[in-house]
Amino acid sequence: SDPYISIYGTYGVPVDSPAQSVADVERLGLRIGGTPGSAYTLFLERELKSARLVPYETNDLVLAAMAAGEVDGFAGVREFVADIAATRPGVRLIDEPFMGIHQAMATLQGRPAGLQAIRDFIAEIRAEGLLDQIKARHGQ
């Protein structure tokens, strides 16, 4: 199906960081905190060249490490990073995403009725506002 939701990974950095873009994170070789096993961390493990991913078990540890100067920024889902930037003085969001996850549904190839059922279901939950309700419930 077409994607029914898109989730983006972004960076949070100290307000005085010279990094203004995703390219700056690489160009400057920043140390970026992240939690192991998350989709954005797995992506960064494959894609970072000059910047370095520093793993921490929890987001709280990542944020403490940034406050202590152990890392130069952190990676996360846009809504999480934006919330941290809005509620913690000294943190800002790099708005540009470094990755996107476009979630969709699938069925076996050659099953047009199944694909149409999926498309109808997605259209129905969009029209009923269910996707918006789920996103709101989970702070997305």
Side-chain angles (χ1 to χ4, degrees):
S1 71
D2 291 333
Y4 60 89
I5 192 168
S6 295
I7 301 167
Y8 296 97
T10 60
Y11 295 118
V13 294
V15 293
D16 60 352
S17 173
Q20 301 295 318
S21 68
V22 169
D24 288 343
V25 170
E26 277 287 355
R27 184 180 57 77
L28 297 166
L30 299 186
R31 299 164 298 166
I32 300 296
T35 53
S38 64
Y40 58 84
T41 301
L42 295 170
F43 175 85
L44 292 173
E45 286 173 352
R46 292 187 312 268
E47 297 298 320
L48 290 179
K49 305 294 185 254
S50 299
R52 185 169 54 101
L53 184 64
V54 182
Y56 291 90
E57 287 303 311
T58 67
N59 286 321
D60 287 338
L61 291 174
V62 171
L63 296 171
M66 190 174 83
E70 296 171 14
V71 294
D72 306 304
F74 65 98
V77 173
R78 177 191 303 279
E79 290 78 8
F80 169 73
V81 177
D83 188 50
I84 295 299
T87 59
R88 292 190 185 214
V91 178
R92 72 176 160 79
L93 167 75
I94 294 180
D95 192 47
E96 172 190 9
F98 60 78
M99 64 156 308
I101 299 171
H102 309 288
Q103 295 186 350
M105 294 183 188
T107 187
L108 294 174
Q109 200 170 24
R111 303 268 175 107
L115 181 56
Q116 189 57 51
I118 289 171
R119 288 178 175 155
D120 292 346
F121 174 72
I122 292 170
E124 182 179 328
I125 63 174
R126 277 193 177 127
E128 292 176 358
L130 184 58
L131 282 175
D132 293 333
Q133 292 171 24
I134 292 169
K135 290 184 339 188
R137 185 176 335 140
H138 295 282
Q140 301 298 312

